[in-house]
Coordinates of all heavy atoms in Angstrom, one line a residue:
M24 N -44.7 -56.1 16.5 CA -43.9 -55.4 17.5 C -43.0 -54.4 16.8 O -42.8 -53.3 17.3 CB -43.0 -56.4 18.2 CG -42.5 -56.0 19.6 SD -43.9 -55.9 20.7 CE -43.1 -56.0 22.2
E25 N -42.6 -54.6 15.6 CA -41.7 -53.6 14.9 C -42.6 -52.3 14.7 O -42.0 -51.3 14.8 CB -41.3 -54.2 13.5 CG -40.4 -53.3 12.8 CD -39.0 -53.2 13.3 OE1 -38.6 -54.1 14.1 OE2 -38.4 -52.2 13.1
D26 N -43.9 -52.4 14.3 CA -44.5 -51.2 14.2 C -44.7 -50.3 15.4 O -44.6 -49.1 15.3 CB -46.1 -51.6 13.8 CG -46.1 -52.2 12.4 OD1 -45.2 -51.9 11.6 OD2 -47.1 -52.9 12.1
D27 N -44.7 -51.0 16.6 CA -44.8 -50.2 17.8 C -43.4 -49.4 18.0 O -43.4 -48.3 18.4 CB -44.9 -51.1 19.0 CG -46.4 -51.6 19.1 OD1 -47.2 -51.0 18.5 OD2 -46.6 -52.6 19.8
S28 N -42.3 -50.1 17.8 CA -40.9 -49.4 17.9 C -40.8 -48.3 16.8 O -40.2 -47.3 17.1 CB -39.8 -50.4 17.9 OG -39.7 -51.0 16.6
D29 N -41.3 -48.5 15.6 CA -41.3 -47.5 14.6 C -42.2 -46.2 15.0 O -41.8 -45.1 14.9 CB -41.8 -48.0 13.2 CG -40.8 -49.0 12.6 OD1 -39.6 -49.0 13.0 OD2 -41.4 -49.7 11.7
Y30 N -43.3 -46.6 15.6 CA -44.2 -45.5 16.0 C -43.6 -44.7 17.1 O -43.6 -43.5 17.2 CB -45.6 -46.1 16.5 CG -46.6 -45.1 17.0 CD1 -47.2 -44.3 16.1 CD2 -46.8 -45.0 18.3 CE1 -48.1 -43.4 16.6 CE2 -47.7 -44.1 18.9 CZ -48.4 -43.3 18.0 OH -49.3 -42.3 18.3
L31 N -43.0 -45.4 18.1 CA -42.3 -44.8 19.2 C -41.2 -43.9 18.8 O -41.1 -42.8 19.2 CB -41.9 -45.9 20.3 CG -41.2 -45.3 21.5 CD1 -42.2 -44.4 22.3 CD2 -40.8 -46.4 22.4
G32 N -40.5 -44.4 17.8 CA -39.3 -43.6 17.4 C -39.8 -42.3 16.7 O -39.2 -41.3 16.8
A33 N -40.9 -42.5 15.9 CA -41.4 -41.3 15.2 C -41.9 -40.4 16.2 O -41.7 -39.1 16.1 CB -42.6 -41.8 14.3
M34 N -42.6 -40.8 17.3 CA -43.1 -39.9 18.4 C -41.9 -39.1 19.1 O -42.0 -38.0 19.4 CB -43.9 -40.6 19.3 CG -45.2 -41.2 18.7 SD -46.3 -40.0 17.9 CE -46.8 -39.1 19.4
E35 N -40.9 -39.9 19.3 CA -39.7 -39.3 20.0 C -39.0 -38.2 19.1 O -38.7 -37.2 19.6 CB -38.7 -40.4 20.4 CG -39.1 -41.3 21.4 CD -38.1 -42.4 21.8 OE1 -37.3 -42.8 20.8 OE2 -38.2 -43.0 22.8
R36 N -38.9 -38.5 17.8 CA -38.4 -37.5 16.8 C -39.3 -36.2 16.8 O -38.8 -35.1 16.8 CB -38.2 -38.1 15.5 CG -37.0 -39.0 15.3 CD -36.8 -39.4 13.9 NE -37.9 -40.2 13.4 CZ -38.1 -41.5 13.5 NH1 -37.3 -42.2 14.2 NH2 -39.1 -42.1 12.9
E37 N -40.7 -36.5 16.8 CA -41.6 -35.3 16.8 C -41.5 -34.6 18.0 O -41.5 -33.3 18.0 CB -43.0 -35.8 16.6 CG -44.0 -34.8 16.6 CD -43.9 -33.7 15.4 OE1 -43.3 -34.1 14.4 OE2 -44.4 -32.6 15.6
L38 N -41.4 -35.2 19.2 CA -41.2 -34.6 20.4 C -39.9 -33.7 20.5 O -39.9 -32.6 20.9 CB -41.2 -35.5 21.6 CG -41.1 -35.0 23.0 CD1 -42.1 -34.0 23.3 CD2 -41.0 -36.1 24.0
G39 N -38.9 -34.3 19.9 CA -37.6 -33.5 19.9 C -37.7 -32.3 19.0 O -37.2 -31.2 19.3
S40 N -38.4 -32.4 17.9 CA -38.6 -31.3 17.0 C -39.4 -30.2 17.6 O -39.1 -29.0 17.6 CB -39.3 -31.8 15.8 OG -39.6 -30.7 14.9
Q41 N -40.4 -30.6 18.3 CA -41.4 -29.6 19.1 C -40.5 -29.0 20.2 O -40.7 -27.8 20.5 CB -42.6 -30.3 19.6 CG -43.5 -30.7 18.5 CD -44.8 -31.4 19.1 OE1 -45.0 -31.6 20.2 NE2 -45.7 -31.8 18.1
R42 N -39.7 -29.7 20.9 CA -38.9 -29.1 22.0 C -38.0 -28.1 21.4 O -37.7 -27.1 22.0 CB -38.1 -30.3 22.8 CG -37.3 -29.8 23.9 CD -36.7 -30.9 24.7 NE -37.7 -31.6 25.4 CZ -37.8 -33.0 25.6 NH1 -36.9 -33.7 24.8 NH2 -38.7 -33.5 26.2
Q43 N -37.4 -28.4 20.4 CA -36.5 -27.5 19.7 C -37.2 -26.2 19.3 O -36.7 -25.1 19.5 CB -35.7 -28.1 18.5 CG -34.7 -27.2 17.9 CD -33.6 -26.8 18.8 OE1 -33.0 -27.6 19.4 NE2 -33.3 -25.5 18.9
S44 N -38.4 -26.4 18.8 CA -39.2 -25.2 18.3 C -39.5 -24.4 19.5 O -39.4 -23.1 19.4 CB -40.4 -25.7 17.6 OG -40.2 -26.2 16.4
L45 N -39.9 -25.0 20.6 CA -40.2 -24.2 21.8 C -38.9 -23.5 22.4 O -39.0 -22.4 22.9 CB -40.8 -25.1 22.9 CG -42.3 -25.6 22.6 CD1 -42.7 -26.6 23.6 CD2 -43.2 -24.4 22.5
N46 N -37.9 -24.1 22.3 CA -36.6 -23.5 22.8 C -36.3 -22.3 21.9 O -35.9 -21.2 22.4 CB -35.4 -24.5 22.8 CG -35.5 -25.4 24.0 OD1 -36.1 -25.1 24.9 ND2 -34.9 -26.6 23.8
D47 N -36.5 -22.4 20.5 CA -36.2 -21.3 19.7 C -37.2 -20.1 19.9 O -36.8 -18.9 20.0 CB -36.5 -21.7 18.2 CG -35.4 -22.7 17.7 OD1 -34.3 -22.9 18.5 OD2 -35.6 -23.4 16.8
I48 N -38.4 -20.5 20.2 CA -39.4 -19.4 20.5 C -39.0 -18.7 21.9 O -39.1 -17.5 21.9 CB -40.9 -20.0 20.6 CG1 -41.3 -20.4 19.2 CG2 -41.9 -19.0 21.2 CD1 -42.6 -21.3 19.1
H49 N -38.7 -19.6 22.9 CA -38.3 -19.0 24.1 C -37.1 -18.0 23.9 O -37.2 -16.9 24.5 CB -38.0 -20.1 25.0 CG -37.4 -19.7 26.4 ND1 -36.0 -19.7 26.7 CD2 -38.0 -19.3 27.5 CE1 -35.9 -19.2 27.9 NE2 -37.1 -18.9 28.4
N50 N -36.1 -18.4 23.2 CA -34.9 -17.6 23.0 C -35.4 -16.2 22.3 O -34.9 -15.2 22.7 CB -33.9 -18.3 22.2 CG -33.2 -19.3 23.1 OD1 -33.2 -19.3 24.3 ND2 -32.7 -20.4 22.4
Q51 N -36.3 -16.3 21.3 CA -36.7 -15.1 20.6 C -37.4 -14.3 21.5 O -37.3 -13.0 21.5 CB -37.6 -15.5 19.4 CG -36.7 -16.2 18.3 CD -37.6 -16.8 17.1 OE1 -38.8 -16.8 17.2 NE2 -36.9 -17.4 16.2
L52 N -38.3 -14.8 22.3 CA -39.1 -14.0 23.4 C -38.1 -13.3 24.3 O -38.3 -12.1 24.7 CB -40.1 -14.8 24.1 CG -41.3 -15.3 23.3 CD1 -42.2 -16.3 24.0 CD2 -42.2 -14.0 22.9
I53 N -37.1 -13.9 24.8 CA -36.1 -13.3 25.7 C -35.4 -12.2 25.0 O -35.2 -11.1 25.5 CB -35.1 -14.4 26.1 CG1 -35.8 -15.4 27.0 CG2 -33.9 -13.7 26.9 CD1 -36.3 -15.0 28.3
M54 N -35.0 -12.3 23.7 CA -34.4 -11.3 23.0 C -35.4 -10.1 22.8 O -34.9 -9.0 22.9 CB -33.9 -11.9 21.7 CG -32.7 -12.7 21.8 SD -32.1 -13.5 20.2 CE -32.1 -12.2 19.1
L55 N -36.6 -10.4 22.5 CA -37.6 -9.4 22.2 C -37.8 -8.6 23.5 O -37.9 -7.4 23.4 CB -38.9 -9.9 21.7 CG -40.0 -9.0 21.4 CD1 -39.6 -8.1 20.3 CD2 -41.2 -9.8 21.0
I56 N -37.9 -9.2 24.6 CA -38.2 -8.6 25.9 C -36.9 -7.8 26.2 O -37.0 -6.6 26.7 CB -38.5 -9.5 27.0 CG1 -39.8 -10.2 26.8 CG2 -38.4 -8.9 28.4 CD1 -40.1 -11.4 27.7
A57 N -35.7 -8.2 26.0 CA -34.5 -7.5 26.2 C -34.4 -6.3 25.4 O -34.0 -5.2 25.9 CB -33.3 -8.4 26.1
L58 N -34.8 -6.4 24.1 CA -34.7 -5.3 23.2 C -35.6 -4.1 23.5 O -35.4 -3.0 23.3 CB -34.9 -5.8 21.8 CG -33.7 -6.6 21.2 CD1 -34.1 -7.1 19.8 CD2 -32.5 -5.7 21.0
S59 N -36.8 -4.6 24.2 CA -37.8 -3.6 24.5 C -37.5 -3.0 25.9 O -38.2 -2.1 26.4 CB -39.2 -4.2 24.5 OG -39.3 -5.1 25.6
G60 N -36.5 -3.5 26.5 CA -36.1 -2.9 27.8 C -36.9 -3.4 29.0 O -36.9 -2.8 30.0
G61 N -37.6 -4.5 28.8 CA -38.6 -5.0 29.8 C -37.9 -5.8 30.9 O -38.2 -5.5 32.0
V62 N -37.0 -6.6 30.7 CA -36.5 -7.6 31.7 C -35.0 -7.7 31.4 O -34.6 -7.7 30.3 CB -37.3 -8.9 31.7 CG1 -36.6 -9.8 32.7 CG2 -38.6 -8.7 31.9
N63 N -34.3 -7.9 32.5 CA -32.8 -8.2 32.4 C -32.6 -9.5 31.7 O -33.2 -10.5 32.0 CB -32.3 -8.3 33.8 CG -30.7 -8.4 33.8 OD1 -30.2 -8.7 32.7 ND2 -30.1 -8.3 35.0
C64 N -31.8 -9.5 30.6 CA -31.7 -10.7 29.8 C -30.9 -11.8 30.5 O -30.8 -12.9 30.1 CB -31.0 -10.4 28.5 SG -31.0 -11.6 27.3
S65 N -30.1 -11.4 31.6 CA -29.4 -12.4 32.3 C -30.2 -13.3 33.3 O -29.6 -14.2 33.9 CB -28.3 -11.7 33.1 OG -28.9 -11.0 34.2
V66 N -31.5 -13.2 33.2 CA -32.3 -14.1 34.1 C -32.2 -15.5 33.6 O -32.3 -15.7 32.4 CB -33.8 -13.6 34.0 CG1 -34.7 -14.6 34.7 CG2 -33.9 -12.3 34.6
E67 N -31.9 -16.4 34.4 CA -31.7 -17.8 34.1 C -33.0 -18.6 33.8 O -34.0 -18.4 34.6 CB -31.0 -18.5 35.3 CG -29.9 -19.6 34.8 CD -29.2 -20.1 35.9 OE1 -28.3 -19.4 36.4 OE2 -29.4 -21.3 36.2
A68 N -33.0 -19.3 32.8 CA -34.3 -20.0 32.4 C -34.3 -21.2 33.3 O -33.3 -21.8 33.8 CB -34.2 -20.6 31.0
P69 N -35.5 -21.7 33.6 CA -35.7 -22.9 34.4 C -35.1 -24.1 33.8 O -35.0 -24.1 32.5 CB -37.2 -23.1 34.6 CG -37.8 -22.3 33.5 CD -36.8 -21.2 33.2
P70 N -34.6 -25.1 34.5 CA -33.9 -26.2 33.8 C -35.0 -27.0 33.0 O -36.1 -27.1 33.4 CB -33.4 -27.0 35.0 CG -34.3 -26.6 36.2 CD -34.6 -25.2 35.9
A71 N -34.5 -27.6 31.9 CA -35.3 -28.4 31.1 C -35.6 -29.7 31.8 O -34.7 -30.3 32.4 CB -34.7 -28.6 29.7
V72 N -36.8 -30.2 31.5 CA -37.1 -31.6 32.1 C -37.1 -32.6 31.0 O -37.9 -32.4 30.0 CB -38.5 -31.5 32.8 CG1 -39.0 -32.8 33.4 CG2 -38.5 -30.4 33.9
A73 N -36.3 -33.5 31.1 CA -36.1 -34.5 30.0 C -37.3 -35.4 29.8 O -37.7 -35.7 28.7 CB -34.7 -35.3 30.2
N74 N -37.8 -35.9 30.9 CA -38.9 -36.9 30.8 C -40.2 -36.4 31.4 O -40.7 -37.1 32.2 CB -38.5 -38.2 31.4 CG -37.3 -38.8 30.6 OD1 -37.4 -38.7 29.4 ND2 -36.3 -39.4 31.3
A75 N -40.6 -35.2 31.2 CA -41.7 -34.7 31.8 C -43.0 -35.4 31.3 O -43.2 -35.8 30.0 CB -41.9 -33.2 31.4
V76 N -44.0 -35.6 32.1 CA -45.2 -36.2 31.8 C -46.2 -35.1 31.8 O -46.5 -34.5 32.9 CB -45.6 -37.4 32.7 CG1 -47.0 -37.9 32.4 CG2 -44.6 -38.5 32.6
V77 N -47.0 -34.9 30.8 CA -48.1 -33.9 30.7 C -49.4 -34.5 30.7 O -49.7 -35.4 29.8 CB -47.9 -33.0 29.5 CG1 -48.9 -31.9 29.4 CG2 -46.4 -32.4 29.5
A78 N -50.2 -34.2 31.7 CA -51.5 -34.8 31.7 C -52.5 -34.0 31.0 O -52.4 -32.6 31.0 CB -52.1 -34.9 33.2
P79 N -53.3 -34.6 30.1 CA -54.2 -33.8 29.3 C -55.3 -33.2 30.3 O -55.7 -33.6 31.3 CB -54.9 -34.8 28.4 CG -54.7 -36.1 29.1 CD -53.5 -35.9 29.9
L80 N -55.7 -31.9 29.8 CA -56.9 -31.3 30.5 C -58.1 -32.0 30.2 O -58.4 -32.2 29.1 CB -56.9 -29.8 30.1 CG -55.7 -28.9 30.4 CD1 -55.9 -27.5 29.9 CD2 -55.4 -28.8 31.9
N81 N -58.9 -32.1 31.2 CA -60.3 -32.7 31.0 C -61.3 -31.7 31.3 O -61.5 -31.3 32.3 CB -60.4 -33.8 32.1 CG -61.7 -34.6 31.8 OD1 -62.6 -34.2 31.0 ND2 -61.8 -35.7 32.4
P82 N -61.9 -31.1 30.2 CA -62.9 -30.1 30.2 C -64.1 -30.5 31.1 O -64.8 -29.6 31.5 CB -63.2 -29.7 28.9 CG -62.9 -30.9 28.0 CD -61.7 -31.5 28.7
L83 N -64.4 -31.7 31.3 CA -65.5 -32.2 32.0 C -65.4 -31.9 33.5 O -66.4 -31.8 34.2 CB -65.8 -33.7 31.7 CG -66.2 -34.0 30.3 CD1 -66.3 -35.5 30.1 CD2 -67.3 -33.2 29.8
N84 N -64.1 -31.8 34.0 CA -63.8 -31.7 35.4 C -63.6 -30.2 35.8 O -63.3 -30.0 36.9 CB -62.6 -32.4 35.8 CG -62.9 -33.9 35.7 OD1 -64.0 -34.4 35.8 ND2 -61.9 -34.7 35.6
T85 N -63.8 -29.2 34.9 CA -63.6 -27.9 35.2 C -64.9 -27.3 35.7 O -65.9 -27.7 35.4 CB -63.1 -27.0 34.0 OG1 -64.1 -27.2 33.0 CG2 -61.8 -27.6 33.4
T86 N -64.7 -26.3 36.6 CA -65.8 -25.6 37.0 C -65.8 -24.2 36.7 O -64.8 -23.6 36.7 CB -65.9 -25.7 38.6 OG1 -64.8 -25.2 39.2 CG2 -66.1 -27.2 39.0
T87 N -66.9 -23.6 36.6 CA -67.0 -22.1 36.3 C -67.7 -21.4 37.4 O -68.7 -22.0 38.0 CB -67.7 -21.9 35.0 OG1 -69.0 -22.4 34.9 CG2 -66.9 -22.4 33.8
H88 N -67.4 -20.2 37.6 CA -68.1 -19.4 38.7 C -69.0 -18.4 38.1 O -68.6 -17.7 37.2 CB -67.1 -18.8 39.7 CG -66.2 -19.8 40.3 ND1 -66.6 -20.6 41.4 CD2 -64.9 -20.3 40.1 CE1 -65.7 -21.4 41.9 NE2 -64.7 -21.2 41.0

C-alpha cells in the first residue's frame, strides 16, 4: 500500500510541475501577443480547474472524410 501512496504523490508532484509549466507558457504567450499588438492584454484568462479529468483520445473511434 505504501508504494501506491508514493506513486500517487509522485504523480501529483509531476502534475503540479506540468501545470506550472503550462501557466508559464500561457503567460509568455499573452506577453508575446501583447507586444506584437495582436490582442488586448487585459483579457481575463479562463479559471483554472483544480481537478479536471482528461479522457485520452482513442484513434480507433475517429472518422475521416
Side-chain angles (χ1 to χ4, degrees):
M24 202 69 159
E25 183 68 27
D26 290 335
D27 289 341
S28 64
D29 289 343
Y30 179 75
L31 182 58
M34 295 302 292
E35 288 175 341
R36 286 188 297 277
E37 179 63 26
L38 179 60
S40 174
Q41 289 179 2
R42 182 176 288 135
Q43 182 61 48
S44 294
L45 288 172
N46 284 334
D47 292 344
I48 291 168
H49 175 260
N50 291 334
Q51 290 172 354
L52 286 171
I53 294 296
M54 288 175 49
L55 182 60
I56 291 169
L58 289 173
S59 69
V62 177
N63 184 352
C64 191
S65 66
V66 173
E67 213 174 292
V72 179
N74 294 320
V76 176
V77 178
L80 296 177
N81 186 349
L83 299 176
N84 291 338
T85 60
T86 59
T87 56
H88 297 281

